[in-house]
Amino acid sequence: AQSVTQPDIHITVSEGASLELRCNYSYGATPYLFWYVQSPGQGLQLLLKYFSGDTLVQGIKGFEAEFKRSQSSFNLRKPSVHWSDAAEYFCAVGSGNTPLVFGKGTRLSVIA
Amino acid sequence: DSGVTQTPKHLITATGQRVTLRCSPRSGDLSVYWYQQSLDQGLQFLIQYYNGEERAKGNILERFSAQQFPDLHSELNLSSLELGDSALYFCASSGQANEKLFFGSGTQLSVL
């Protein structure tokens, strides 16, 4: 069965510091991989997605993620975090025929 | 704004009652998905409809049901409510392929 693990429940970083959020997945076929962000009281917004091709994908708000098949990982990165990036981040896996399965999320706090 | 509209935003009711959550997908999107978000379970897929027909079913209780109407809006019916049904219920829509989900802002259900 497909599953997503986000090992870090909560991460705190200083504004301007770099960020990496971890995501590991289990999926039987070539997966579609996604990162979503949820601000308080809001729905989920797509940051970026990987379907095929270049394993380093760029998203909105300066985020990027790298697909590593050998490690079954799809980690999210940002070189310099802004206070407005504080939110909950969700990694998800699926395909064209199956609904997305989400990880339990990582809450990001940003301190001055 | 994702283009997905959910009503109501908040719902407070008592155990044993029945409620209906409504979702209007983005213009042109044929697929509607329902997810339940709770602190302990994270985002759980409930059910998917495509152009009026059930496409996939996830961890949806028998007390819950859904449908998608000819105008493509969807309703999620929750009956015989229990305290544990308190959660944030999200609707999402996508185009023909399950490539990118657009989420509504959710309905916060509180069962007292």
Side-chain angles (χ1 to χ4, degrees), chain A:
Chain A
Q2 56 202 48
S3 65
V4 176
T5 301
Q6 294 181 244
D8 304 305
I9 296 174
H10 183 205
I11 284 182
T12 300
V13 300
S14 298
E15 191 169 16
S18 64
L19 170 71
E20 182 169 25
L21 302 183
R22 296 182 291 164
C23 171
N24 293 97
Y25 67 91
S26 173
Y27 197 73
T30 301
Y32 292 177
L33 293 158
F34 305 81
W35 275 100
Y36 282 84
V37 60
Q38 182 182 24
S39 298
Q42 301 295 316
L44 280 73
Q45 180 186 21
L46 180 67
L47 284 176
L48 48 80
K49 62 184 186 292
Y50 171 80
F51 291 164
S52 64
D54 192 348
T55 57
L56 184 64
V57 294
Q58 303 297 320
I60 63 170
K61 304 185 181 186
F63 285 92
E64 66 177 28
E66 186 171 12
F67 170 56
K68 293 185 177 180
R69 184 186 299 275
S70 61
Q71 298 177 20
S72 296
S73 70
F74 189 57
N75 294 349
L76 182 71
R77 300 194 293 250
K78 187 170 184 178
S80 177
V81 169
H82 188 261
W83 64 266
S84 60
D85 293 325
E88 188 98 18
Y89 291 80
F90 293 91
C91 182
V93 65
S95 74
N97 299 314
T98 60
L100 296 187
V101 173
F102 286 83
K104 293 201 170 183
T106 297
R107 184 161 63 94
L108 173 66
S109 296
V110 180
I111 58 176

